[in-house]
Amino acid sequence: MNPAGKPGKTGSLMPVEVALARLLEMADASRIVERERLPLAQVQGRVLADDLLSTLDLPPWPNSAMDGYALRVADWSAEPLVVSQKVFAGQAPAALTPGTCARIFTGAPVPPGADCVEMQENAEVLADERVRFTENLVIGQNIRPQGQETTVGELILPAGTRLGPIEQGLAASLGCAELDVIRKVRVAVLSTGDELIEPGQPLGPGQIYNSNRVLLCSWLQRLGCEVIDAGILPDNLDTTRMRLGELGDVDLILSTGGVSVGEADFLGMALREEGELALWKLAIKPGKPLTFGHFRGVPVIGLPGNPASTLVTFALLARPYLLRRLGVQEVEPLKVQVPAGFDWPKAGNRREYLRGRLESGQAIIYHNQSSGVLRSAAWADGLVEVMEERTLVAGDSVYFIPLSEVLS
């Protein structure tokens, strides 16, 4: 076993990290900069165009962290205090009368002159409505100071942040009703191959239903892309050239199938004739063949045609590329280290991404890891990374990438 899990020799195969670095470099060179201003409620999943700076202190004034009583510690001498006012959230209190306390509720502004809030559980209300405090009091206790969360001019969210419910709530807390976001990336999705047929139609000899385009269109929509369904390309060079030429107003053409070097690689032929082609044979399993190139200036990513290969290469390579085009910096998914719940006795020269799930804190894998079996991904909740030239016995440490990290 290779205990360090270091990449081994892969011959002409390109390591995953190198392929990803090249994709991100090209994405950086073609960043989308056009923007649009949207209501805050409509920015879910979009990418922030400008730094979001605070225009106010949060909280804007000292406020109470508890239901209780506000007082000045110097006024307390273990004798009961008179309650001089009640302060509710949303009210502006009067200055605290010396020698008294104020009934106060969570979130309410602390009266000027008070420097302490004692929780009501540690206070005793006497028959004459004076209040006795039963614990030692400390200046500043249970008071949220002005600017505790943010101060004016502070960077709250950097440009390139993907906006979710928490970020939307944070922007709302600063009074933002609208935000500038990067426009959606426009992606044309197509499949290649005479063997493919759309669901709902009768299967002919040698035909299979096209699942990849449905998977990718749905996935891209979850990523916040504008999706153009370009259908199925037949195995014909002239038709391929014509259909690609019709997609000149998109930011990316994303295809599946037809990316190997062979007689039926009409996509690659079209790219070589009217653009440029970089065919990467990746040190990855599933998903070794992957094409990146340009057709008449439009970027093209060709994913492998087998469903599990499509899933893995889109998750680990195409998705980060798309996010970086939008200006997102942190584009790689979170990996967590877990013990393997399986043996892997045969080392390979490619990094493998096994469809698996976590059970009792261990990663277990689907019994059939064929690149043509999409059912393995439906059963799984993540990808188990097995490094090149490494064997495993149950209990060894592996990295696990939750599918939730890459599906949105």
Side-chain angles (χ1 to χ4, degrees), residues 67-251:
D67 287 350
Y69 297 87
L71 66 152
R72 182 169 178 261
V73 171
D75 289 342
W76 178 67
S77 60
E79 292 297 321
L81 297 179
V82 172
V83 177
S84 57
Q85 62 177 307
K86 288 187 179 181
V87 188
F88 296 91
Q91 291 183 339
L96 185 68
T97 301
T100 71
C101 64
R103 181 73 166 111
I104 195 167
F105 297 90
T106 302
V110 175
D115 58 15
C116 166
V117 171
E118 177 62 300
M119 66 179 69
Q120 62 188 16
E121 290 83 353
N122 293 336
E124 179 185 358
V125 181
L126 304 180
D128 60 5
E129 297 187 349
R130 291 183 303 159
V131 179
R132 174 184 290 129
F133 300 103
T134 58
E135 303 290 337
N136 289 330
L137 301 178
V138 178
I139 292 175
Q141 73 181 42
N142 298 322
I143 293 178
R144 302 175 181 134
Q146 179 175 340
Q148 180 185 53
E149 183 175 0
T150 69
T151 56
V152 173
E154 185 179 354
L155 175 63
I156 304 304
L157 295 173
T161 297
R162 290 189 76 199
L163 299 167
I166 294 172
E167 291 77 15
Q168 287 174 282
L170 186 55
S173 73
L174 298 173
C176 299
E178 298 177 323
L179 289 175
D180 286 332
V181 296
I182 301 297
R183 71 157 171 83
K184 290 185 176 183
V185 58
R186 296 188 293 267
V187 184
V189 181
L190 53 85
S191 302
T192 64
D194 289 338
E195 77 279 7
L196 298 177
I197 191 170
E198 298 292 5
Q201 300 180 12
L203 286 174
Q207 292 183 321
I208 58 173
Y209 288 120
N210 181 16
S211 63
N212 284 337
R213 206 170 76 257
V214 174
L215 180 149
L216 290 175
C217 286
S218 177
W219 202 339
L220 288 163
Q221 288 168 353
R222 293 184 70 171
L223 285 173
C225 300
E226 180 183 336
V227 181
I228 295 90
D229 188 343
I232 299 173
L233 284 181
D235 290 330
N236 179 279
L237 181 58
D238 290 337
T239 303
T240 297
R241 189 187 298 114
M242 179 188 71
R243 295 274 293 279
L244 291 177
E246 296 170 350
L247 301 172
D249 62 345
V250 300
D251 302 301

Side-chain angles (χ1 to χ4, degrees), residues 313-383:
T313 51
F314 183 88
L316 301 181
L317 295 160
R319 176 183 177 273
Y321 168 86
L322 286 166
L323 292 177
R324 184 59 63 82
R325 289 283 302 271
L326 293 169
V328 179
Q329 290 302 305
E330 298 298 327
V331 295
E332 295 188 59
L334 172 72
K335 298 179 182 180
V336 293
Q337 210 164 18
V338 298
F342 60 93
D343 295 333
W344 195 254
K346 186 177 179 180
N349 69 341
R350 290 184 282 165
R351 189 170 308 175
E352 303 208 31
Y353 290 91
L354 312 174
R355 277 72 71 206
R357 62 164 61 157
L358 296 181
E359 288 190 0
S360 301
Q362 292 186 323
I364 63 171
I365 58 175
Y366 193 70
H367 64 88
N368 186 343
Q369 291 293 322
S370 167
S371 61
V373 178
L374 188 58
R375 184 178 179 182
S376 61
W379 172 90
D381 58 22
L383 300 173

Side-chain angles (χ1 to χ4, degrees), residues 25-97:
E25 182 180 352
M26 288 181 279
D28 282 328
S30 57
R31 290 273 185 92
I32 296 170
V33 296
E34 296 86 359
R35 61 182 62 200
E36 56 184 332
R37 193 165 185 83
L38 294 178
L40 187 59
Q42 296 178 19
V43 300
Q44 170 101 14
R46 303 297 292 273
V47 176
L48 190 63
D50 298 307
D51 291 343
L52 178 64
L53 305 179
S54 179
T55 57
L56 70 164
D57 293 343
L58 281 182
W61 17 253
N63 72 86
S64 177
M66 296 283 180
D67 287 350
Y69 297 87
L71 66 152
R72 182 169 178 261
V73 171
D75 289 342
W76 178 67
S77 60
E79 292 297 321
L81 297 179
V82 172
V83 177
S84 57
Q85 62 177 307
K86 288 187 179 181
V87 188
F88 296 91
Q91 291 183 339
L96 185 68
T97 301

